[in-house]
Amino acid sequence: MSEIDLETARKVAHLARIAVPDENLPALAQDLSRILTFMEELNEVDVDGVEPMTSVTPMRLKRRVDTVTDGDIQARILSNAPDAREGFFAVPKVVE
């Protein structure tokens, strides 16, 4: 990989919305060059047969049976209502 020049470092800083003084641009260019060099080294690693990971520890998410119920707590819910009739909340009429 070619070295990152000062103009490219300035452009990257601008795109990232980072204010970098001109005296710090050489250090930024050098750091960016090192990062790209390391990324090229990673491309050389043989990863054939390696499964992608979602976590560093092998684990499965806990699952539960997805069953539909009515909750069977209608009486408890309606006990909080100021007025309940025939298994429903009773509310005043609002439409004339």
Side-chain angles (χ1 to χ4, degrees):
M1 176 73 200
S2 61
E3 290 288 316
I4 301 292
D5 61 353
L6 295 181
E7 276 308 306
T8 305
R10 182 179 284 117
K11 184 176 181 180
V12 169
H14 174 73
L15 291 173
R17 307 280 194 255
I18 300 171
V20 178
D22 286 340
E23 63 269 8
N24 293 350
L25 281 175
L28 177 63
Q30 187 177 19
D31 288 344
L32 291 173
S33 294
R34 275 196 231 126
I35 291 170
L36 291 177
T37 301
F38 179 70
M39 290 175 64
E40 284 184 353
E41 288 177 25
L42 289 177
N43 285 334
E44 296 173 6
V45 175
D46 181 22
V47 292
D48 289 336
V50 177
E51 302 246 349
M53 295 186 337
T54 56
S55 174
V56 294
T57 57
M59 57 192 276
R60 252 183 97 78
L61 294 176
K62 295 178 183 170
R63 300 176 192 238
R64 63 174 171 80
V65 178
D66 191 15
T67 56
V68 178
T69 66
D70 65 354
D72 200 30
I73 56 172
Q74 180 183 20
R76 281 184 38 206
I77 293 172
L78 291 176
S79 69
N80 293 322
D83 187 10
R85 296 181 203 152
E86 300 175 18
F88 297 98
F89 292 102
V91 295
K93 183 178 178 182
V94 292
V95 180
E96 303 258 350

